[in-house]
Amino acid sequence: MPRVSQDQLDARRQEILAASRACFARHGYEGATVRRLEEATGLSRGAIFHHFRDKDSLFLAVAEDDAAAMVETVARNGLVQVMRDLLAGAMSPDTTGWLGTQLEVSRRLRTDPAFARRWAERSAAIAEATRERLARQRDAGVLREDVPIDVLAQFLELAYDGLVLHLAMGRPAGDLGPVLDLVEEAVRRR
């Protein structure tokens, strides 16, 4: 029997995550049945669940993957850049899948206490990356000093949540660049 390399296993896992992200975005958590996940991935349930314990673990892995990418972007470029990236790719399948995942995470946070406990660590990582980035920007003299870092972070998080909802509702993204300019200007030193 041929051996499968770790790189091949990792690549298959990423393929499953990408196809499952689209399936969860299109059908929601409950609607993304195992049959639909099989169709989306082109794999059997055995192949899918060789990589993930169950559907809940698969969904959490999709959401964690998205959160890790967001933490990386926030740490490197800030939360406003995450919003600009969302706008730039608003109509791409990757972005629409990501938006659907975010909405499903929001719904499950309200309705599933076990999921909310598991998700708290990921959410804290994003918030911490935002605050650390803001602190570095303030130390560099870029951010305004009359507003506490926590308030600036909450302001940016609210703007981000609003953008996600706006795009998820299918509203046009084309005219929001100047709005993000205003958000960014609001936190900068004058």
Side-chain angles (χ1 to χ4, degrees), residues 85-120:
D85 291 349
L86 273 175
L87 275 184
M91 299 313 293
S92 79
D94 287 344
T95 300
T96 55
W98 182 87
L99 287 167
T101 301
Q102 294 303 298
L103 292 176
E104 190 62 27
V105 165
S106 296
R107 187 193 68 74
R108 294 205 54 210
L109 286 172
R110 289 187 322 277
T111 62
D112 184 344
F115 179 84
R117 283 189 299 277
R118 291 170 61 184
W119 186 251

Side-chain angles (χ1 to χ4, degrees), residues 14-77:
Q14 289 305 311
E15 291 169 5
I16 293 169
L17 288 173
S20 297
R21 178 179 292 107
C23 189
F24 286 126
R26 182 174 302 109
H27 302 289
Y29 180 80
E30 282 80 17
T33 61
V34 173
R35 164 88 57 222
R36 283 183 171 154
L37 289 166
E38 287 175 319
E39 290 169 3
T41 62
L43 300 171
S44 70
R45 70 186 62 213
I48 295 168
F49 296 120
H50 170 75
H51 294 272
F52 303 94
R53 186 176 68 241
D54 52 26
K55 187 172 103 170
D56 196 49
S57 297
L58 174 58
F59 179 75
L60 188 61
V62 167
E64 286 174 338
D65 194 49
D66 291 347
M70 186 172 167
V71 166
E72 185 179 312
T73 302
V74 167
R76 191 176 54 252
N77 301 314

